[in-house]
Amino acid sequence: MAEKEEKFYLVRSDILPESMKKTIEAKALIERGKVESVFDAVKQVDLSRSAFYKYRDAVFPFQAMVKERMITLFFHLEDRAGTLSDLLATVAKAGGNILTIHQTIPLQGKANVTISLNTSGMTTNIETLIQQLKRMDFVDKVEILSSGA
């Protein structure tokens, strides 16, 4: 089965549905420490928690994406010799500057890895890099956890 390629679009805020706008507002409240929980954030902006969770990993303020040039990726990997090394080499080849790496202890032959990287020097766009990473035979899952500082 062919994997569907993720694409990103720049969209004017006035045509976004209210739930997406409110999700961005709620995320900002959480990131700035203005609220103590997701529940408090969604309550303050009058948004359902289900809508927040539906859109939280899909909508980002444009300024944050451009200014910060930092992204955190989550991976679910098969536990095989050299997998982390191959993953890091692919990111480095694309020009990503790896800032942090966290790997869990493998359980049942799988490990979770979180990588934060600076994308300002990348020679490959992030969508292409993610598609390359998803095609690696030991990668079960790739997600963008966050972008920004």
Side-chain angles (χ1 to χ4, degrees), residues 3-4 6 129-137 139 141-143:
E3 262 186 52
K4 186 176 179 182
E6 289 180 345
L129 174 61
I130 290 171
Q131 289 307 312
Q132 288 173 349
L133 295 168
K134 284 182 176 182
R135 283 192 297 270
M136 298 177 98
D137 63 340
V139 175
K141 183 181 197 177
V142 180
E143 291 180 357

Side-chain angles (χ1 to χ4, degrees), residues 56-92:
R56 74 171 179 178
D57 296 327
V59 295
F60 307 97
F62 177 70
Q63 295 83 358
M65 295 293 285
V66 173
K67 259 196 285 185
E68 303 304 338
R69 306 293 294 175
M70 205 175 313
I71 194 165
T72 302
L73 300 173
F74 168 83
F75 300 89
H76 193 66
L77 306 176
E78 291 180 18
D79 181 34
R80 291 192 271 169
T83 57
L84 184 59
S85 177
D86 290 348
L87 182 93
L88 298 178
T90 301
V91 172

Side-chain angles (χ1 to χ4, degrees), residues 48-62:
S48 71
R49 283 182 36 210
S50 63
F52 174 81
Y53 286 114
K54 179 179 181 179
Y55 295 121
R56 74 171 179 178
D57 296 327
V59 295
F60 307 97
F62 177 70

Side-chain angles (χ1 to χ4, degrees), residues 73-131:
L73 300 173
F74 168 83
F75 300 89
H76 193 66
L77 306 176
E78 291 180 18
D79 181 34
R80 291 192 271 169
T83 57
L84 184 59
S85 177
D86 290 348
L87 182 93
L88 298 178
T90 301
V91 172
K93 185 176 178 183
N97 180 21
I98 298 169
L99 304 171
T100 65
I101 304 168
H102 175 76
Q103 180 177 353
T104 62
I105 295 172
L107 297 173
Q108 299 178 343
K110 306 287 182 180
N112 294 330
V113 175
T114 306
I115 298 173
S116 296
L117 59 128
N118 183 327
T119 61
S120 62
M122 285 185 51
T123 55
T124 303
N125 69 46
I126 194 67
E127 294 91 349
T128 302
L129 174 61
I130 290 171
Q131 289 307 312

